[in-house]
Amino acid sequence: MSQIETIASRKWVYLFEEGNKDMKTLLGGKGANVAEMRAVGLPVPPGFTITTEACNEYYHNERQMLPGLREQTLEALKHVEKLTGKTLGDKTNPLLVSVRSGSPLSMPGMMDTVLNLGLNDDTVEGLATQTGNRWFALDAYRRFISMFGRIVLGVDEEKFSRVLERHKAQTEGKRDTDLSIMQLEDVIASYKRIVYASLNEQEFPQDPLEQLRKAISAVIESWMGKRAVDYRRVHRISDMLGTATNVQAMVFGNLGWDSGTGVCFTRNPSTGERMLYGEYLLNAQGEDVVAGIRTPHPIAELQKELPECYGQLVEITQRLEQHYQDMQDIEFTIERGKLWMLQTRNGKRSGVAAIRIAVEMVAEGVIDQTTAVGRVAPEQLDQLLHPMVDPDAQVTVLTVGLPASPGAASGQISFDPDEAEQLAAEGQAIILLRDETNPDDFHGMVAAQAILTARGGMTSHAAVVARGMGKPCVAGAGALEVNYAQQICTIAGSTTYLRRGDWITLDGSTGRVLLGKAPTIQPQFSEYFTTLMQWADAVRTMGVRANADTPQDAATARKLGAEGIGLCRTEHMFFGEERLPIVREMILAESLAEREVALEKLLPFQEQDFFGIFRVMEGLPVTIRLLDPPLHEFLPSLEELLQSLADLKFTVQRAQNLADMDVVLRQLWEKEKLLKQVHRLREANPMLGHRGCRLSIVFPEIAAMQARAIFQAACKAQSQNIKVLPEIMIPIVSTPEELRLQLDVVRRTATKVFGEQGTSVEYLLGTMIELPRAALVADKIATHADFFSFGTNDLTQTTFGLSRDDSARFLPTYIKEKIFLEDPFQVLDREGVGQLVQMGIERGRSVKPDLKIGICGEHGGEPSSVEFCYQAGMNYVSCSPFRVPIARLAAAQAALAGVKRDT
C-alpha cells in the first residue's frame, strides 16, 4: 500500500455519536465534550469532528488537504443532512453549518470560527422561506460574508465594520437589530463589493462545498496563527497537539425575540461563588456575546424573558457540573423557544475562584481533598499574592466597569497592542485600553499589566483571557469613549479625558478605574486558601524554604508557610547606608591590619542582622551563604567615578577661596584613590572571576568575620531561649580543597566564639553546587559537606555559557524559533542542567547517603522545576518568599502524581 493510500485509509472524521469526553486528544476538547453531551441525552445539534491528527498530518503534508479527508467529510455531511432533513446548498430547504476549532487544551478565542456557512444568493432566499423571516436570513448572510471574508479570504475586518456602523448610525436605536430589510440588503451588496475589490475582482464564493473546504482549511491554518502561537507560548502548550475542526448544524439565536444566545458558568469564575453566572443576548448570535459587539444581560434576567428555557438551562448546567465534577463554561443557543447546548468545558477561572471552588466541592462531596489539591494550578496562587488597592486610601474614581478579573495594577495607557508590547519590552508598565479586545490583541494583553475595555461583558474575550492569565481586567466601562485616531478616551459626564501615556490604576476586583497610581496593600488570605494549603502540606513530602536576607523577609516567608531559610545572601546586608562606607573602607585597605579594622566595624551590623533572622525563624533552619559577589560590586562604577572626577576638577578651577579648595582637593584625592582601586579590581568577566570562596581564600579574614557574626548571634539567641539551626554555606566551590580551606576557617572561628561565650550551638557546614565541575566531583566535595544546595541560577549560566543579564537580548528569539522551548533561567533545563543536578545528587549521596540536598535558585519556586527537584530526590526547595505557596502546592502535586524519586 502506498503512502497516499495509507493516509487515505485512516479515519480522519468522527460523527458526534462516535465520540466521548475521554477522546480529547483526538477530537479536541470541544468535539469530545459535544459528543459526551449528546451521549447523555442533552439537546445538541448534529455534526462531526475532523481530528487533531488530520491537523498535524496537514502540516506534515506541506499544508495540502489530505487524501481521503474530502470523502470522509462528505459522508459525514450526508449523515447530518439526514438527521436535520436539510441539505447544504439546497435552494428551498438549506442546511447551514458552523465550522469551529477545538484544541485538546482550551484556548478560548485564539483560533477561528465560521458561522452560517452554506449561504449564498440562492440559499438566503430559501432560508427566508424556510423560517418565514426574511430579516433573519439577510442578517445571517451579512454576518457570514463578513466572517468568511475576514477569516477565510483575509479581507480587512475594518472595511466591513465601517459599512455596518454607517448603516446602524442611520437607525433610531443605533443597533444592528434596528436595521431594516432594505438596509441589510444594502449592507450585503456593500460587503460583496468589498470582497470583490479586495480579492482582485474575484466574487464572493457561492458554492457551499467550496465554502466548507476553505473554511476547514482556514480553521486548521489558525492553529499556527500568531495569536494561537503566542497563547501556547504563554501557557506552555505544545504545538504538536493540533486542533480538531468541528462541523455542526447551525441553530439560530437571531430568529427573533424568542431566540437568543449566551455563555454561562456553573460558578462565578472570578470569585468562585456557587451560582449560575453568565450573560446572554436575545435575537443574537454567539459572537455578539463573546466579542462584546453588544453589551449582554446578566443570565438571571433570562428567567423573566424566557422562563422555561431558563429552567432547562439551570437543570442542564447542574447536571454537567456533576457529570464533569468541575466548574463548567457553557455555550448555548435558544432557537424559537428551544434550548440547544453548543459547548461545555472546564471553565477558566481566577486563582481566588479556583481555590474556593476546589474547597467547596470537597465540602459538597463532589471531589475529595487530593483531587482538590491537584485541581488548582500552582501558578494561580501567584494571583492571590498580588497587591490590592488600599481600601483606606483616598482615590479618584474615573468610572466603574465590570470586575472581570481580580487584582490591582497601575500603568500608562496604551491604545495599541503592538505599542503595548514594545513599551513593555522597554520596561514600562502598561495598561491596554481598547474599545473591545479581539484575539488579534492577545500579544498586547500579554505585555500589559492590566486590560480595560469600554465594551463587552464578564464573558467577553478580554475577561476570559485576562482571567486565564491572572491579569486584572475591567470590562464594559460604558462611560468610556475611545478615539484611536486621536489617542484619547473621553468619559461620559466628566470633563476629564485620558491620553496615551497617562497613569491609571485598575481595580479588577471592584471594576473601578482610578486616576494615577493608587496605593496598594498586600492581600489577605481567605479561609479557602488556608484550607487548601493545609491539605497540600498534608500530602507534601519535600520541604519548602525561602530565600530571605532580612528579618522582614523572613517574617513574610514564615507567614507564607516557609519551613526555614534556604538562602540568606550576606552581601545584601552590606548595601545599607551606614554599612556601605565601611565595606568600601575594607576594600580600600592597604594592609591586613587596616582591613581587619574595617571588618571589626562591620561585625556588629552582621551580628544584628543574623540575630534578627534567628529570632524570626525560631526553631527552623537558616542557611547563610558567605560573601559571594566580587568586591567591585560595592564600589561606584568606572563611568560614575570618571564623571565625578571631571566635575570635581571643574570645581577646583572655579574655587573662590583656600578653604573651598582644601575641601574639594581632599574629595578629589579620595575619588582618585577609589578610581585606582576600581581599576585594580576590574575584571573582564567578573562573574567567573574573584568571587565567592576564591575571595575568602585570598582574604580569609572576611569569612572569619562573617562566621564570628553568625556564631555570636546564634549564641545570643540561644541564651534568650531561641532555638537556632544555622547552616553555613560556601559559594562558588569547584574543588574539594577550596571547601576544606573555607570550612577550616569557619570551624576555628566557631571554636573561638564558643570558648568566649561559654556555650555552643549545633550547626551544619555545606556548599552550593553551582558550577559544572562541582557536580562532576560531588562525591569528593561531599566528604567535607553536611549538605548541598544547588544554585541553579549560576549553574544554568555556566552550563549554557550564557549571561543571565545579557542573554535577554536574544533569548526571546531562541524561544520563538524553538531553539529553547523555555527560558532556562525561568524553567530548569532538565536535559542539560538537570542532568548535572542528578549527577551531583547521586555522586554526593554515594559517599553520604543521608546528605541533605536542596535548591536555592529561583527555579525553586517554578512548578515544573519543583516537580523535577522532587523527582531528583531533593529534601527541599527554596525560593523567594512570595513564591513559597506556589512551591508548597507544586511539591504536593508532585507527590500526588507518584513521580518516582531517586532516593
Side-chain angles (χ1 to χ4, degrees):
M1 184 180 291
S2 69
Q3 184 179 3
I4 293 177
E5 289 173 327
T6 300
I7 293 174
S9 65
R10 290 174 61 180
K11 185 172 177 63
W12 302 118
V13 178
Y14 285 74
L15 301 173
F16 286 168
E17 294 91 321
E18 297 177 293
N20 61 60
K21 65 182 175 63
D22 298 322
M23 299 173 68
K24 288 183 181 179
T25 302
L26 182 66
L27 303 181
K30 188 173 296 181
N33 287 329
V34 167
E36 184 76 9
M37 286 195 294
R38 188 172 180 86
V40 299
L42 298 184
V44 175
F48 56 89
T49 301
I50 299 170
T51 67
T52 57
E53 291 178 350
C55 171
N56 289 328
E57 194 65 41
Y58 171 85
Y59 285 105
H60 293 155
N61 200 37
E62 298 182 348
R63 287 182 153 123
Q64 298 298 313
M65 203 48 73
L66 307 177
L69 179 57
R70 180 178 181 277
E71 291 75 16
Q72 292 182 36
T73 299
L74 293 177
E75 190 65 30
L77 180 63
K78 288 180 182 177
H79 179 76
V80 175
E81 290 174 335
K82 182 178 179 181
L83 290 177
T84 60
K86 303 173 184 177
T87 304
L88 187 73
D90 189 90
K91 295 181 181 180
T92 58
N93 192 25
L95 170 69
L96 302 189
V97 297
S98 62
V99 182
R100 300 172 182 259
S101 61
S103 169
L105 296 177
S106 180
M107 295 173 55
M110 294 302 117
M111 290 178 288
D112 288 332
T113 292
V114 177
L115 304 179
N116 304 313
L117 189 143
L119 283 172
N120 58 27
D121 293 346
D122 295 325
T123 57
V124 69
E125 301 301 335
L127 183 64
T129 303
Q130 182 190 79
T131 59
N133 188 333
R134 181 169 175 76
W135 185 95
F136 150 74
L138 294 172
D139 182 57
Y141 195 20
R142 66 94 183 163
R143 289 171 181 269
F144 173 57
I145 295 173
S146 64
M147 185 174 276
F148 191 92
R150 172 174 58 88
I151 291 169
V152 181
L153 304 178
V155 179
D156 183 0
E157 180 183 17
E158 197 61 33
K159 296 178 179 180
F160 297 124
S161 296
R162 283 197 294 267
V163 170
L164 183 61
E165 291 301 320
R166 185 172 69 247
H167 284 80
K168 282 163 59 176
Q170 297 168 6
T171 68
E172 185 175 343
K174 309 283 190 275
R175 299 173 302 179
D176 53 356
T177 51
D178 297 318
L179 295 172
S180 68
I181 288 177
M182 187 176 297
Q183 285 177 312
L184 284 172
E185 289 173 338
D186 192 33
V187 168
I188 290 168
S190 297
Y191 279 7
K192 288 162 73 174
R193 286 194 294 271
I194 289 170
V195 171
Y196 185 78
S198 300
L199 299 184
N200 296 320
E201 300 185 354
Q202 290 185 39
E203 300 286 352
F204 185 82
Q206 295 288 304
D207 180 359
L209 289 178
E210 181 191 359
Q211 295 172 358
L212 181 60
R213 178 183 62 80
K214 288 185 173 181
I216 291 171
S217 293
V219 168
I220 294 174
E221 282 285 342
S222 71
W223 173 250
M224 295 306 293
K226 183 181 186 305
R227 63 179 186 264
V229 171
D230 287 346
Y231 186 91
R232 291 197 295 276
R233 175 175 50 80
V234 170
H235 293 276
R236 297 177 182 169
I237 298 172
S238 170
D239 289 342
M240 303 306 295
L241 290 177
T243 183
T245 305
N246 300 283
V247 179
Q248 188 174 24
M250 284 289 300
V251 287
F252 302 101
N254 57 332
L255 263 170
W257 297 105
D258 60 350
S259 303
T261 187
V263 176
C264 63
F265 297 82
T266 54
R267 308 202 181 207
N268 186 314
S270 289
T271 67
E273 181 182 357
R274 188 181 185 185
M275 60 182 292
L276 185 61
Y277 178 94
E279 295 164 327
Y280 75 99
L281 282 170
L282 295 185
N283 201 16
Q285 288 199 331
E287 76 268 21
D288 297 340
V289 176
V290 176
I293 292 171
R294 286 161 53 191
T295 300
H297 306 295
I299 197 71
E301 293 183 12
L302 185 63
Q303 187 173 14
K304 299 177 184 176
E305 297 195 283
L306 296 173
E308 186 175 339
C309 290
Y310 180 81
Q312 292 172 359
L313 182 64
V314 170
E315 188 272 328
I316 288 173
T317 55
Q318 290 174 350
R319 279 180 61 189
L320 286 170
E321 182 175 277
Q322 286 292 321
H323 185 75
Y324 285 93
Q325 297 185 323
D326 200 356
M327 185 261 276
Q328 293 298 290
D329 171 2
I330 296 161
E331 294 180 19
F332 66 91
T333 287
I334 300 168
E335 182 182 275
R336 288 182 169 169
K338 179 174 175 56
L339 177 67
W340 292 95
M341 308 307 295
L342 303 183
Q343 175 168 302
T344 191
R345 59 188 172 194
N346 293 340
K348 298 285 184 184
R349 64 207 76 178
S350 70
V352 171
I355 292 171
R356 178 173 178 176
I357 291 168
V359 172
E360 289 193 341
M361 280 191 165
V362 172
E364 295 160 13
V366 178
I367 59 176
D368 59 22
Q369 291 182 9
T370 56
T371 303
V373 169
R375 182 67 56 84
V376 179
E379 296 91 338
Q380 289 184 297
L381 298 186
D382 193 39
Q383 299 170 32
L384 278 69
L385 306 173
H386 288 172
M388 55 189 287
V389 174
D390 185 347
D392 298 325
Q394 296 294 317
V395 296
T396 301
V397 180
L398 297 172
T399 188
V400 178
L402 299 171
S405 185
S410 299
Q412 293 176 275
I413 292 172
S414 174
F415 294 96
D416 179 75
D418 294 331
E419 180 192 60
E421 184 178 47
Q422 178 185 342
L423 294 176
E426 296 170 0
Q428 296 187 41
I430 298 298
I431 303 289
L432 182 63
L433 199 170
R434 302 287 285 168
D435 190 42
E436 58 189 327
T437 64
N438 63 56
D440 291 330
D441 297 333
F442 179 73
H443 59 294
M445 299 172 75
V446 171
Q449 300 294 309
I451 299 104
L452 171 62
T453 68
R455 301 191 336 196
M458 296 291 285
T459 57
S460 65
H461 174 266
V464 171
V465 172
R467 281 195 295 270
M469 291 191 295
K471 290 182 184 285
C473 176
V474 174
L480 300 180
E481 187 70 35
V482 180
N483 187 320
Y484 292 128
Q486 296 183 23
Q487 297 281 281
I488 63 170
C489 175
T490 59
I491 305 170
S494 171
T495 56
T496 303
Y497 56 90
L498 300 171
R499 288 194 180 96
R500 171 186 173 274
D502 286 349
W503 281 88
I504 59 172
T505 299
L506 299 190
D507 185 348
S509 302
T510 64
R512 296 181 301 167
V513 181
L514 310 174
L515 182 65
K517 300 180 186 179
T520 58
I521 59 172
Q522 293 302 323
Q524 302 298 312
F525 299 119
S526 69
E527 59 183 297
Y528 302 109
F529 173 84
T530 303
T531 299
L532 184 77
M533 297 313 296
Q534 287 172 346
W535 294 343
D537 291 340
V539 299
R540 177 168 56 84
T541 57
M542 184 170 63
V544 176
R545 300 187 187 184
N547 302 341
D549 310 322
T550 66
Q552 294 77 14
D553 288 345
T556 299
R558 285 209 72 167
K559 179 183 176 184
L560 295 172
E563 297 161 323
I565 291 178
L567 175 63
C568 175
R569 292 157 288 211
T570 54
E571 63 271 8
H572 287 191
M573 301 169 178
F574 288 172
F575 284 101
E577 187 176 343
E578 295 179 273
R579 306 164 190 216
L580 190 56
I582 303 173
V583 176
R584 289 179 175 175
E585 182 182 332
M586 176 196 73
I587 296 170
L588 294 172
E590 296 180 353
S591 68
L592 173 61
E594 288 183 9
R595 193 157 42 251
E596 286 182 333
V597 168
L599 289 169
E600 192 66 27
K601 293 178 185 178
L602 274 177
L603 177 62
F605 290 111
Q606 287 262 276
E607 181 180 339
Q608 177 186 347
D609 291 330
F610 295 138
F611 176 76
I613 291 173
F614 289 146
R615 184 169 52 191
V616 171
M617 302 303 292
E618 181 177 5
L620 297 177
V622 177
T623 304
I624 300 168
R625 182 181 72 186
L626 299 189
L627 187 63
D628 180 44
L631 292 178
H632 76 84
E633 288 198 6
F634 301 100
L635 299 177
S637 69
L638 179 63
E639 293 78 10
E640 181 184 341
L641 272 175
L642 290 173
Q643 181 61 53
S644 181
L645 280 166
D647 292 342
L648 283 171
K649 289 176 181 177
F650 180 73
T651 303
V652 167
Q653 294 172 0
R654 301 189 55 170
Q656 298 296 314
N657 55 60
L658 289 176
D660 290 343
M661 178 75 76
D662 186 60
V663 171
V664 174
L665 284 173
R666 181 161 184 82
Q667 290 177 347
L668 188 62
W669 177 80
E670 289 174 349
K671 292 289 185 182
E672 286 177 338
K673 184 181 178 183
L674 197 56
L675 179 62
K676 181 179 178 182
Q677 195 73 334
V678 166
H679 276 300
R680 188 176 70 80
L681 293 174
R682 198 175 188 193
E683 297 176 294
N685 194 341
M687 296 314 291
L688 297 179
H690 196 195
R691 57 175 287 214
C693 69
R694 302 161 191 166
L695 189 64
S696 291
I697 286 171
V698 175
F699 303 113
E701 57 273 17
I702 296 176
M705 182 279 289
Q706 291 196 295
R708 174 171 284 276
I710 293 168
F711 291 126
Q712 288 183 177
C715 290
K716 179 181 177 181
Q718 189 166 269
S719 72
Q720 297 182 16
N721 296 317
I722 299 170
K723 186 177 180 181
V724 291
L725 297 169
E727 301 175 350
I728 299 176
M729 183 163 66
I730 310 301
I732 305 293
V733 165
S734 61
T735 73
E737 191 64 12
E738 286 175 319
L739 181 59
R740 186 192 65 77
L741 286 170
Q742 287 288 279
L743 296 188
D744 284 349
V745 172
V746 174
R747 289 192 182 101
R748 286 197 302 269
T749 304
T751 300
K752 288 180 185 178
V753 172
F754 296 159
E756 295 164 1
Q757 300 289 328
T759 187
S760 64
V761 297
E762 295 289 330
Y763 64 94
L764 297 179
L765 299 175
T767 183
M768 292 184 78
I769 303 295
E770 50 192 330
L771 299 173
R773 191 180 194 281
L776 294 172
V777 298
D779 51 340
K780 296 181 175 64
I781 291 175
T783 60
H784 303 287
D786 298 319
F787 67 90
F788 284 172
S789 180
F790 282 90
T792 50
N793 297 340
D794 271 337
L795 188 58
T796 297
Q797 288 196 101
T798 51
T799 301
F800 277 97
L802 288 174
S803 163
R804 182 170 44 169
D805 298 323
D806 298 328
S807 61
R809 300 175 184 174
F810 60 84
L811 272 181
T813 301
Y814 268 53
I815 293 167
K816 181 181 178 181
E817 298 296 331
K818 297 184 175 57
I819 298 169
F820 293 165
L821 295 180
E822 303 277 3
D823 181 340
F825 294 109
Q826 295 183 24
V827 181
L828 192 136
D829 163 47
R830 298 191 184 199
E831 185 179 19
V833 177
Q835 191 174 162
L836 285 170
V837 170
Q838 289 176 311
M839 189 181 300
I841 292 173
E842 291 166 4
R843 295 185 179 184
R845 285 187 174 148
S846 71
V847 175
K848 289 186 177 176
D850 296 328
L851 186 69
K852 182 159 63 173
I853 296 176
I855 183 176
C856 60
E858 274 306 302
H859 293 113
E862 193 281 317
S864 170
S865 307
V866 171
E867 180 191 60
F868 170 81
C869 294
Y870 175 87
Q871 183 178 6
M874 290 189 188
N875 298 98
Y876 67 87
V877 296
S878 187
C879 57
S880 61
F882 283 103
R883 293 195 69 82
V884 165
I886 297 170
R888 289 165 64 193
L889 184 56
Q893 292 180 353
L896 287 175
V899 181
K900 178 182 178 296
R901 291 180 65 120
D902 292 349
T903 54

